[in-house]
Amino acid sequence: MIELVALDMAGTTIDEGGAVYRALRTAVERTGVPVADADLQTWMGTDKREAIAALVRLGGGTPTPELVEEGYAAFREFLREAYRTTPPQAIAGVEETLAELRRRGIKVALTTGFSDDVAYPLLESLGWSAGEGGNLDAVVTSDEVPRGRPAPHMIHRAMERTGVIDTRRVLAAGDTVVDVEAGTNAGAGVVVGVLTGELTRADFDGHPYTHVLDSVADIPSLPEVRPAG
């Protein structure tokens, strides 16, 4: 039986209109290098500083620490303006799903490639939190771990926060390839790709997962999370 569901944020639980994709592309292209669509897809869901450095390198540039920090500042500013213009919203059915999972006694954590200064204002705008009376049991950002996805550290940190000790009792879900890779690397018993982001079902082919679902809202129907009896 699953004890913890660890979910990605943007594109998985939160609809932010693809602003992260646009912000990342803008941040890298302002350095003067092109960004290939395939490379952008590969690095979505990862720590954003790591993504900027990798995309600059792939575009033929030199990702010095100064350049990466300048790119990250541009990424944050673009994202802040995009969210101000078009406020993010919960993906349909997700809030009900979070409540239902917790009603069944399953802990719910969000993990994200965002840093604290991006993630927490985004959650606050939705009224989501892991504080007292909140709708989550844990939030883990890229600031809290030595490596972002596809490393397993954020999922393992969520396990620490929620008191779950058996990785086989974890369900990890996200809308990018690195989300399912991180779930597999963490030893999660159930690894779910969801189609509410930019990827199609075919994009997950050849990558490690146990299920591909239309949405996080479909998770409560999985046999692994159904209540006993």
Side-chain angles (χ1 to χ4, degrees), residues 12 21 41 44-45 174-181 194 199 204:
T12 299
Y21 279 77
Q41 290 283 8
M44 281 304 300
D175 67 302
T176 67
V177 167
V178 292
D179 288 319
V180 297
E181 290 176 340
V194 297
L199 301 189
F204 284 104

Side-chain angles (χ1 to χ4, degrees), residues 10-167:
T12 299
T13 55
I14 301 170
D15 179 6
E16 41 77 75
V20 176
Y21 279 77
R22 297 193 301 275
L24 190 54
R25 181 186 291 277
T26 298
V28 175
E29 289 184 342
R30 69 185 294 278
T31 70
V33 303
V35 177
D37 289 343
D39 292 336
L40 187 62
Q41 290 283 8
T42 297
W43 284 91
M44 281 304 300
T46 64
D47 175 89
K48 296 305 177 282
R49 286 183 175 88
E50 290 181 13
I52 289 167
L55 290 169
V56 168
R57 187 179 297 109
L58 288 166
T62 301
T64 64
E66 296 77 14
L67 188 71
V68 170
E69 284 306 311
E70 289 174 8
Y72 185 69
F75 167 81
R76 286 190 304 172
E77 183 57 35
F78 184 97
L79 203 59
R80 186 179 298 114
E81 179 61 21
Y83 287 171
R84 185 191 67 79
T85 304
T86 307
Q89 299 180 335
I91 287 173
V94 165
E95 290 181 316
E96 294 82 358
T97 294
L98 302 182
E100 174 60 20
L101 291 171
R102 298 180 83 205
R103 187 188 69 78
R104 296 181 188 181
I106 298 171
K107 303 290 187 181
V108 176
L110 296 187
T111 65
T112 178
F114 291 153
S115 55
D116 287 356
D117 58 351
V118 176
Y120 285 105
L122 175 55
L123 293 175
E124 184 178 354
S125 74
L126 295 167
W128 294 7
S129 81
E132 185 175 354
N135 65 335
L136 304 167
D137 296 291
V139 175
V140 182
T141 72
S142 62
D143 285 340
E144 304 176 57
V145 292
R147 286 289 305 275
R149 305 181 186 113
H153 306 313
M154 287 196 288
I155 294 172
H156 289 165
R157 183 61 57 86
M159 292 176 64
E160 293 173 12
R161 295 263 177 85
T162 56
V164 174
I165 62 174
D166 188 345
T167 59

